[in-house]
Amino acid sequence: MAAQLQHNVSLRSLNTFGIDARARLFAAFSSVDELRELLRLPEVQQAEKLVLGGGSNVLFTRDFDGVVLRNEIRGLEVLADPDGQTARLRAGAGESWHGVVEYALSQGLSGIENLSLIPGTVGAAPLQNIGAYGVELKDAFDHLEAVEISTGQLRAFSHEECGFGYRESVFKGALKNQFIVTGVVLRLHRQPRPNVSYGAIRTTLEEMGITDEPTPQQVSQAVISIRRSKLPDPQQIGNAGSFFKNPEVSQQKFDELKARFPELPGYPVPGGVKVPAGWLIEQCGWKGHRAGETGHYGVHAQQALVLVNHGGATGAEVRELAERIIASVRERFGIELHPEVNIL
């Protein structure tokens, strides 16, 4: 069945912040052929385009005066791999990311269990180079397939060509808005290689009574437990998870701050130190803050890194709150926070 172009469509149920924005044009596609068909339509060719998956990393501050293309390409498959040690898992870009983690575990494959319960779809994962608890997507990435918007051509991108960085890829930089991801192939381990380097995972496993080498399933269960204890469920309260990236500063800057703020946490990274944005925000007094005349939006009470819509907030209100948080952290610590969420 051909994909249908719709007009003036509400996006409220299609973004986890629950912001009531509208798209001038909207269409969903479930195959490469349907996507190509849409891209050939004059209305679509002439309009600004936004590809939407799970809507878990976007804040709408206005109606979208273009076309929203919802990626619903499905499919999960373990591909043959000759070495016997690894396996390639191919996932359609419209699959839920957590569903892929669960599928991998059901197939006896490990490597992405630390990324359990991250909201959103597979297609968004490489764009953002999602990461959590000591693992990033790039660690398990083989290649992706994407359609070029201007030509409709399907091409593959290798690990190197994707230019992965911290919550970055070439698709957020030089190739922004030029390609639509249709499928991702991961390279996973057939033999368990649990990564429990992140302290909270070890602590949670101990609380679960697991003291020996944990299985990938147990690591996944620990990560799910941690995430549920710290992050609000978008089904219950509007949010997009971590709103800000964790900033990186030079070792000199960190040492200077450490002298003034002895409890400042930091984690060594190439070229400097990564500082938890949530800690900085909490020190500025924002944790649990409610804004607006009725307190209908604010900062989550358990995790200062998460901005929330308690009901009826506009995207502009949430953006203004984010700007105030950024300014307060800059003033107190001399550190510039940057949103992880895509603000439109």
Side-chain angles (χ1 to χ4, degrees):
M1 180 176 165
Q4 299 294 312
L5 194 62
Q6 302 174 54
H7 294 74
N8 191 30
V9 173
S10 172
L11 302 172
R12 184 172 187 171
S13 65
L14 301 179
N15 71 96
T16 59
F17 251 119
I19 300 297
D20 193 15
R22 305 189 75 82
R24 180 170 64 85
L25 299 170
F26 177 89
F29 60 92
S30 56
S31 69
V32 170
D33 286 342
E34 283 189 354
L35 172 58
R36 285 170 168 159
E37 181 183 337
L38 287 167
L39 293 176
R40 284 195 292 267
L41 295 175
E43 278 186 286
V44 173
Q45 289 181 345
Q46 296 162 12
E48 181 184 359
K49 299 166 190 65
L50 172 66
V51 180
L52 202 59
S56 60
N57 195 48
V58 62
L59 174 66
F60 287 104
T61 62
R62 55 179 171 82
D63 290 339
F64 190 75
D65 188 30
V67 58
V68 171
L69 299 171
R70 182 167 169 81
N71 194 331
E72 297 181 352
I73 296 178
R74 302 283 192 261
L76 292 168
E77 179 186 10
V78 176
L79 307 173
D81 218 326
D83 67 6
Q85 300 300 310
T86 62
R88 288 176 299 146
L89 190 163
R90 188 185 186 284
E95 292 283 352
S96 92
W97 172 258
H98 183 62
V100 172
V101 177
E102 291 181 315
Y103 179 77
L105 291 172
S106 76
Q107 299 297 306
L109 303 176
S110 69
I112 54 175
E113 53 274 7
N114 294 52
L115 305 180
S116 295
L117 213 63
I118 292 180
T121 56
V122 169
L127 272 62
Q128 180 80 354
N129 185 25
I130 58 172
Y133 305 109
V135 172
E136 291 182 317
L137 176 85
K138 68 178 178 62
D139 302 327
F141 181 87
D142 188 86
H143 71 276
L144 64 77
E145 297 150 0
V147 167
E148 187 172 22
I149 292 172
S150 62
T151 66
Q153 293 296 309
L154 182 67
R155 64 159 289 189
F157 286 84
S158 67
H159 191 294
E160 183 179 4
E161 288 174 315
C162 288
F164 292 122
Y166 174 54
R167 304 296 177 269
E168 290 290 343
S169 73
V170 69
F171 303 102
K172 291 180 71 175
L175 297 183
K176 186 175 182 179
N177 299 328
Q178 294 183 40
F179 287 86
I180 296 174
V181 178
T182 57
V184 174
V185 177
L186 306 172
R187 187 173 292 274
L188 304 175
H189 306 295
R190 292 192 179 276
Q191 299 300 318
R193 294 188 184 182
N195 181 338
V196 294
S197 60
Y198 200 90
I201 293 182
R202 289 195 300 270
T203 302
T204 303
L205 287 168
E206 290 170 3
E207 292 171 353
M208 294 165 59
I210 300 165
T211 55
D212 297 329
E213 184 88 336
T215 66
Q217 287 86 352
Q218 289 169 334
V219 172
S220 175
Q221 290 166 9
V223 169
I224 289 171
S225 176
I226 296 167
R227 291 187 72 89
R228 284 181 172 158
S229 71
K230 298 173 77 173
L231 299 171
D233 182 351
Q235 297 293 329
Q236 305 296 324
I237 180 172
N239 75 94
S242 300
F243 196 91
F244 300 99
K245 300 177 186 179
N246 290 318
E248 296 179 3
V249 300
S250 68
Q251 184 66 54
Q252 180 182 351
K253 171 74 172 178
F254 180 78
D255 291 342
E256 292 171 355
L257 286 170
K258 190 77 171 174
R260 293 171 51 206
F261 307 98
E263 296 181 358
L264 175 70
Y267 307 94
V269 294
V273 181
K274 183 180 292 185
V275 178
W279 188 90
L280 299 171
I281 296 167
E282 187 171 348
Q283 297 306 302
C284 291
W286 290 105
K287 189 174 181 180
H289 174 81
R290 294 184 76 128
E293 290 184 10
T294 59
H296 56 289
Y297 65 102
V299 181
H300 193 242
Q302 272 73 53
Q303 174 53 269
L305 203 52
V306 179
L307 305 190
V308 295
N309 173 14
H310 292 288
T314 67
E317 287 176 323
V318 176
R319 179 181 60 189
E320 187 269 338
L321 173 61
E323 290 169 349
R324 286 197 286 146
I325 290 171
I326 291 170
S328 68
V329 170
R330 181 195 305 125
E331 182 177 356
R332 182 164 188 186
F333 297 102
I335 292 177
E336 192 74 16
L337 294 184
H338 296 282
E340 185 172 317
V341 171
N342 184 23
I343 300 174
L344 296 172

